[in-house]
Amino acid sequence: LYITTGDEKYLKGYNNYRNKLLGYFKSAAEGVIFDYTVGEFDNTLPFVFGGDQGVTHPCTIIKTAVDKKNKKIYLDEVFYETGRSTNEIYNSIKTEVGSGLIVMDNAAPLFILDLQKLGLKVIPCYKEKIVDRIRKVQDYEIIVTARSKKLMEELDNYAWLDTSKTRSER
């Protein structure tokens, strides 16, 4: 069933009916923090690559551009995998990243150093409190490219923790 009224409240009501009464799974977690739309990356804007190193959690490289004037953030998933060595990651991203700047989570200084030794321009980032970062991003419209499937899954499941429930109720 497709609703073509263009009215968000009808779609929200239908999704509520579909999930609660018909038993369908939700596409996003309750209390999801970030709303986004799927669209094209604005290549007219300056961009950097954001990175987070992981072994059991995914290592990610996301092409990112911020349009401050129009309050938009553009995101394009370049790399998102677990269990990869530094050389495997480098070989997967080197062509797309090229001489671009990667701003990497500072929690992995050896990984940053290894990527630098392989010839990538990587610098560590120093992060504010997570709540402050979330508040800043929520002022922007987030546009995610269609190829960024795993990033969309992350955004659909990044939700506020309901602290009103006890551990056994979660």
Side-chain angles (χ1 to χ4, degrees), residues 4 7 30 40 64 66 85 91 113-115 118 123 125 132-133 135 143-144 150-151 155 164 170:
T4 57
D7 191 340
E30 283 289 333
E40 296 296 317
T64 307
V66 179
S85 71
N91 288 327
L113 183 62
D114 288 343
L115 289 177
L118 289 168
I123 62 170
C125 75
D132 294 335
R133 289 182 281 154
R135 285 190 183 121
I143 296 112
V144 179
K150 294 175 184 171
L151 175 58
L155 291 171
S164 67
R170 289 186 210 143

Side-chain angles (χ1 to χ4, degrees), residues 81-133:
E81 293 188 30
T82 57
R84 298 287 180 222
S85 71
T86 301
N87 284 330
E88 289 173 317
I89 294 165
Y90 169 76
N91 288 327
S92 295
I93 68 172
K94 67 182 176 184
T95 303
E96 191 158 354
V97 171
S99 62
L101 177 65
I102 302 173
V103 181
M104 183 69 66
D105 184 343
N106 66 348
L110 291 176
F111 180 67
I112 292 170
L113 183 62
D114 288 343
L115 289 177
Q116 290 170 339
K117 286 180 179 179
L118 289 168
L120 295 177
K121 189 169 24 171
V122 185
I123 62 170
C125 75
Y126 299 93
K127 302 181 283 187
E128 300 173 15
K129 292 181 187 175
I130 192 154
V131 173
D132 294 335
R133 289 182 281 154

Side-chain angles (χ1 to χ4, degrees), residues 6 15 19 23 32 42 46 56 62 85 92 99 102 111 119 125 140 148 166:
N15 284 336
N19 296 330
V32 71
D42 186 345
T56 56
I62 308 295
S85 71
S92 295
S99 62
I102 302 173
F111 180 67
C125 75
Y140 286 77
S148 303
T166 66

